[in-house]
Amino acid sequence: MRIGGWITMLCALAFVWGLVIWCFYRVLTAPPEEEVTPPPEGFGA
Amino acid sequence: MASDKEQWGTRLGVILAVAGSAVGLGNFLRFPGQAAQNGGGAFLIPYFCALIFLGIPIGWAEWTMGRYGGKKGFHSSPGILGVIGRGSMGRYLGVAAALIPLAVSFYYVFIEAWTVGYFLKFLTGGLGIDPAGPIAEQAATSAAYYQAFTGANQDGVLFTGGSHFTLLCWVIVFAVNIWLVYRGISKGIEKFCTWAMPGMAICALIVLIRVLTLGTPDPAVPEQNVVNGLGYMWNPDFSKLTSFKTWLAAAGQIFFSISVGFGIIINYASYMKRKSDVVLSGLTSSATNELFEVGFGGMITLTASFVFLGLSGTIAAVSTGSFGLGFNTLPVVFAQMGPLGNVVGAVWFLMLFLAAITSSLSMYQPAVAFLKEATGAGHGKATSMVVVLGTVGSLLTIWFTKDGIFWNTLDFWVGTLLIFIVAMIEIILFSWVFGIERGWREAHDGAMIRIPRVFKFVMKWVAPLYLLIVFVGFCFQTLPGAVQQVLASWPARLAIGLILVTLLVMAFAVNAGEKRWRAAGMDLDDANPADGASAEVGR
């Protein structure tokens, strides 16, 4: 595999794994639905 | 049996159910082939562009519309799009969205039966491929089994032939699907997806670890190793990015993979609580789909094929299409893996089965919801009607198996073309009729994260235009051939007839339902917005 292949593969894997882990972390650590308060401005804040 | 007032039990439950609906056979079989044929690693650039500007925004729109329709007491696409579009036009356009999951289920469950059949075969000794023989001979054995199992050589052979194994597999998967749908949203679908999705991930991890530790199995051909196999999939060819075909393929892959335009997300989201989050949930289900597609599909399928079949064998396998790759080529690959080959094969097909059943469940549920709403039937009666419709559609598919023309016709006209149209209708209704400002507020009601503001522009302008360009390109590329096939083949015409009859029956059902909903005092035209907005907002 060429260096370009390694870079694209590792970037793509880091992106999808990172996104999934971040999303599930947010979902699983969120308070129960009744207690949700509106979030402040800004993505993921 | 499900209660009349159905609802998801947990936040995680609905996310896993929607992710399960999105993760299907295409994640493991179609994506790697598309990537390898369209620039390898470079394909990921248009692919992620399509994810960000098309898949995720339309997904958010569907989640929001579904939850809003649920607040009004609607769970079917015609009911929900009637509310969002404020009138009959939205309702009748929604018939197309109600047709898609039902019509796709006609053939999808048949293919799901293949995964069960192959799983059982690998569990009980494999397909009879002799790994000591020449590769051509092994490929012929695998192809013969595939042809016999799927009935690709002759119409009716799965009923009249010596073996009824395929039929038995279909009966099993159809019964399991119906039983889970009958159990209801929370006790059936949610409960099943809550263990099926982690189960699928474990199966994928097992196969991935086995593939990545294959090394160089045949020292006589040292170039056939894992690293070169990964290189075949991931080495970027940036010259392909100048081709419109690559961008079209990437958008198409995202679009079909993420389940937008199917009329499924909109139905699932309608069972959410009034203040449940839709933004993080939509993003999480899309991210989960991407993990299975890029993280597993992109690492396993072609790498395994390359290690044992080499470059020319893998190119040939990719050219046979997704099903050829999955059901024809990979059994040959598993046969080369020695004593553990059958175990790896069984795990692989179990994973495909879990991917398929979590998707097929999401096809029956919208049909049940539609029949309940349109006819006023209870859950049991509506499920029985789906059994009748599903049986008729599936039996036609299982009878007309020659060269897969019948189900390929359904797949093209409903499972591909109509999805583009429905997605376009949905994003236009959301951004332009319901109104982007109102839609934005509705999406953020109860949201656990905020969508970056730029997506307001993306949802209103970029996604519809992107979709239109992709749709026109897709039509130019594929429509002439598809029309030719319909004109030339009568099973294809029969499939078109089945689509039209089903569409017509559904339109009549909506017409009848409309009268019932009005009589019951339901706010089917959103005259009193559930979010307190003026009825004129967004017009």
Side-chain angles (χ1 to χ4, degrees), chain B residues 148-459:
Chain B
F149 188 84
T150 61
N153 286 333
Q154 193 187 333
D155 285 338
V157 71
L158 297 178
F159 291 89
T160 57
S163 167
H164 294 114
F165 183 48
T166 312
L167 270 181
L168 178 70
C169 292
W170 172 76
V171 169
I172 292 169
V173 295
F174 188 60
V176 172
N177 271 285
I178 293 299
W179 181 70
L180 289 170
V181 169
Y182 178 72
R183 296 262 302 159
I185 284 285
S186 181
K187 288 182 191 162
I189 296 172
E190 180 175 350
K191 211 169 176 184
F192 181 77
C193 290
T194 303
W195 72 260
M197 290 301 289
M200 200 197 316
I202 291 167
C203 289
L205 264 178
I206 291 170
V207 179
L208 177 64
I209 289 167
R210 182 66 197 109
V211 168
L212 293 183
T213 53
L214 283 170
T216 310
D218 186 354
V221 269
E223 70 278 8
Q224 286 180 212
N225 58 53
V226 171
V227 173
N228 284 347
L230 289 170
Y232 174 69
M233 165 73 205
W234 290 97
N235 280 338
D237 174 5
F238 292 106
S239 68
K240 293 271 188 185
L241 294 182
T242 56
S243 165
F244 178 67
K245 191 174 152 277
T246 302
W247 290 80
L248 193 61
Q253 178 60 31
I254 274 294
F255 203 71
F256 304 126
S257 170
I258 222 161
S259 263
V260 290
F262 269 80
I264 289 172
I265 295 174
I266 210 168
N267 167 255
Y268 271 11
S270 72
Y271 298 104
M272 297 176 88
K273 296 182 180 99
R274 296 175 75 88
K275 294 276 182 186
S276 286
D277 160 87
V278 291
V279 179
L280 181 60
S281 301
L283 186 64
T284 308
S285 61
S286 299
T288 308
N289 179 66
E290 290 314 301
L291 176 66
F292 278 97
E293 187 149 291
V294 178
F296 293 126
M299 299 292 287
I300 295 172
T301 320
L302 295 187
T303 311
S305 174
F306 188 94
V307 166
F308 291 110
L309 306 181
L311 180 62
S312 58
T314 306
I315 291 171
V318 168
S319 70
T320 61
S322 306
F323 296 120
L325 181 64
F327 293 91
N328 232 332
T329 307
L330 286 183
V332 177
V333 170
F334 296 135
Q336 316 304 309
M337 289 186 179
L340 273 180
N342 282 345
V343 178
V344 178
V347 173
W348 168 259
F349 285 108
L350 175 63
M351 178 192 74
L352 289 188
F353 167 66
L354 293 174
I357 191 169
T358 47
S359 300
S360 60
L361 281 175
S362 69
M363 294 167 195
Y364 287 121
Q365 176 57 33
V368 170
F370 171 74
L371 290 167
K372 279 166 82 170
E373 272 178 27
T375 65
H379 187 75
K381 207 170 171 186
T383 310
S384 307
M385 287 190 258
V386 168
V387 171
V388 173
L389 292 170
T391 304
V392 171
S394 288
L395 289 184
L396 282 170
T397 306
I398 299 171
W399 183 274
F400 295 105
T401 46
K402 190 170 186 310
D403 300 328
I405 290 175
F406 185 85
W407 67 263
N408 272 308
T409 306
L410 286 176
D411 183 49
F412 177 80
W413 291 96
V414 179
T416 309
L417 192 74
L418 201 55
I419 287 170
F420 273 121
I421 296 169
V422 167
M424 205 124 55
I425 290 168
E426 286 178 342
I427 194 68
I428 288 170
L429 285 180
F430 178 81
S431 299
W432 292 88
V433 181
F434 192 70
I436 189 67
E437 293 297 337
R438 197 177 158 204
W440 193 259
R441 278 198 305 276
E442 178 62 25
H444 286 91
D445 191 15
M448 285 159 36
I449 56 170
R450 288 197 71 82
I451 306 173
R453 280 196 171 274
V454 66
F455 275 90
K456 214 186 259 191
F457 178 75
V458 170
M459 289 166 106

